[in-house]
Each structure stands twice: as C-alpha cells, then as structure tokens.
Amino acid sequence: MTINWAVAVPVAAAMIAASAAVWGAWLATKAQAANRKLTQEVALAQFRQDWLNMLRSKLAEYLGLLTILYRTDGLEDDAHRMEMVKCAYEIQLLLSPHDPSDNELIVELRTMREAYERRDAEVDAAKVVALSQAILWRGWARITSDIRGP
C-alpha cells in the first residue's frame, strides 16, 4: 500500500489545526474561569472590607456617643439618645445572630449603655473594645485568607 502524500499532508495539517483550535478553546475557557473566580474573590474581599470599615465606624460612633452623653450629662437629650439607639441597631444588624462572640458584644454594648444611664462610676469600655477588636481581627483574617487562597 502506498501513501498518497498529496492527500495525507493536507488531512494531517487539518487534523493538527483542529486539535490546536480545540486545545486553544479549552485553554481560553480555563483562563476565563480563572479570571471569573479571581474577580469574584476580589469582589468578596472588597465587600468584607467595606463591612469591616462600617462596623468599625459604627462601634466607634456608639462608644463616642456614650462617652459624650455620660460626660456632659446629656442623657436627657432625645436627639443624642435616638442617635445612640439607631447606632446600636446598625451594629446589631451588621453582626451575625449565630455567632456567640457577636452576641456577647451586643449584650455588652447594651450593658454598657445601661451602666452609663445609671451613671455608674465603674463603667469601662475595655471589654467592648476587646470584643470588637476580636471580631474585626477575625474579619480581617478572613479577607487575607481569601486573597491568599487555600
């Protein structure tokens, strides 16, 4: 049997071209999937960072309002009290109802507010700050873990 090179070479070339096209399409699909995954991870990390920034801001605002109201005897000021209540609810809505440390922070914020309202001299924000820092640090660790990958 003799090989008709005039037919075999173009057929082989066509098969190689088709294989290269399939291989290129497969690589492009893989690259698109990797880019899509990376885009999603970056968006998720940004969302978490925005959440951390908002929570940090609301916690600082709440502690600041409590301190100002305590030191200026402004507890009768309804506008400040309403702002404090609103801020407390915003914090609560930013936290998870299923996380024990988040719930502990919510309880501690309420306890602290009640102590300020009673004018307790022993009110200390250290526990609220420590709980807040632990929650914020855990959120930051999640962001860095998302960025680094598994």
Side-chain angles (χ1 to χ4, degrees):
M1 164 158 108
T2 61
I3 297 177
N4 184 348
W5 292 104
V7 173
V9 170
V11 168
M15 289 175 57
I16 291 171
S19 296
V22 168
W23 180 253
W26 182 80
L27 287 176
T29 301
K30 285 292 200 183
Q32 286 175 343
N35 284 339
R36 187 172 37 256
K37 185 175 180 353
L38 180 62
T39 301
Q40 290 170 343
E41 289 171 356
V42 168
L44 181 60
Q46 184 60 51
F47 176 76
R48 286 190 178 137
Q49 183 63 55
D50 292 346
W51 171 82
L52 282 177
N53 291 341
M54 183 174 293
L55 180 59
R56 183 181 296 109
S57 174
K58 289 299 170 184
L59 286 163
E61 182 180 349
Y62 185 82
L63 292 172
L65 281 168
L66 281 176
T67 303
I68 290 167
L69 292 173
Y70 181 75
R71 292 193 176 158
T72 61
D73 198 25
L75 291 173
E76 292 77 29
D77 184 347
D78 284 341
H80 281 101
R81 288 191 77 176
M82 290 305 297
E83 186 62 30
M84 187 175 58
V85 168
K86 177 182 175 241
C87 191
Y89 279 116
E90 288 174 332
I91 291 167
Q92 191 170 351
L93 290 170
L94 285 167
L95 297 173
S96 169
H98 307 293
D99 188 321
S101 61
D102 288 8
N103 288 326
E104 186 179 358
L105 176 60
I106 292 166
V107 168
E108 196 59 36
L109 288 171
R110 187 177 309 118
T111 301
M112 189 175 170
R113 187 195 74 233
E114 291 167 356
Y116 271 125
E117 287 177 352
R118 287 189 312 270
R119 313 297 287 162
D120 286 352
E122 297 297 319
V123 173
D124 184 12
K127 186 169 182 182
V128 168
V129 170
L131 289 167
S132 300
Q133 287 174 332
I135 290 168
L136 294 168
W137 180 252
R138 200 172 58 239
W140 176 248
R142 254 185 109 180
I143 291 171
T144 56
S145 137
D146 287 348
I147 292 171
R148 284 189 217 132

